Amino acid sequence: MLSKEHPQLPKSPSDPAVQFWTRQKAEGPSGQEYWLNVATRTPQSETPILGRGGIIADGMGLGKTLTVLALVLASLKEKEGAGISNSTLIGMSSP
């Protein structure tokens, strides 16, 4: 879960996609790198901003609460930075 809190964009074109983003290299003499969203097939030159967090959708009694509490405790010592909150958002839903 900590890796989902701090996603990293692919470092090279051979790395797997992260949150639908891959690094690509243009063909031809320029060979400039760009970002490609594999879901929408749209390229862009600006570095994409990745989202943080995820969804736990296990059945009842499989430890979701303990898992989230462990994540909150593990991330308490993280420093706040530009665009990073020191808060934890937990959403709940009933069927």
Side-chain angles (χ1 to χ4, degrees):
M1 288 181 69
L2 284 173
S3 68
K4 299 296 182 196
E5 287 290 300
H6 304 286
Q8 298 290 317
L9 286 165
K11 302 264 188 261
S12 71
S14 62
D15 291 345
V18 174
Q19 295 184 9
F20 299 114
W21 291 104
T22 62
R23 186 176 287 237
Q24 301 288 310
K25 190 168 187 170
E27 295 180 16
S30 69
Q32 289 185 323
E33 290 190 348
Y34 62 94
W35 298 100
L36 177 70
N37 185 302
V38 296
T40 61
R41 304 299 298 167
T42 53
Q44 71 180 43
S45 58
E46 301 86 27
T47 302
I49 298 172
L50 298 177
R52 293 180 59 175
I55 297 172
I56 302 176
D58 289 336
M60 287 177 47
L62 296 177
K64 294 180 293 297
T65 302
L66 292 176
T67 302
V68 171
L69 289 174
L71 174 65
V72 170
L73 291 174
S75 61
L76 279 178
K77 294 181 183 179
E78 290 181 4
K79 294 181 181 175
E80 291 183 47
I84 298 174
S85 171
N86 199 22
S87 301
T88 300
L89 173 66
I90 300 172
M92 299 179 69
S93 175
S94 299

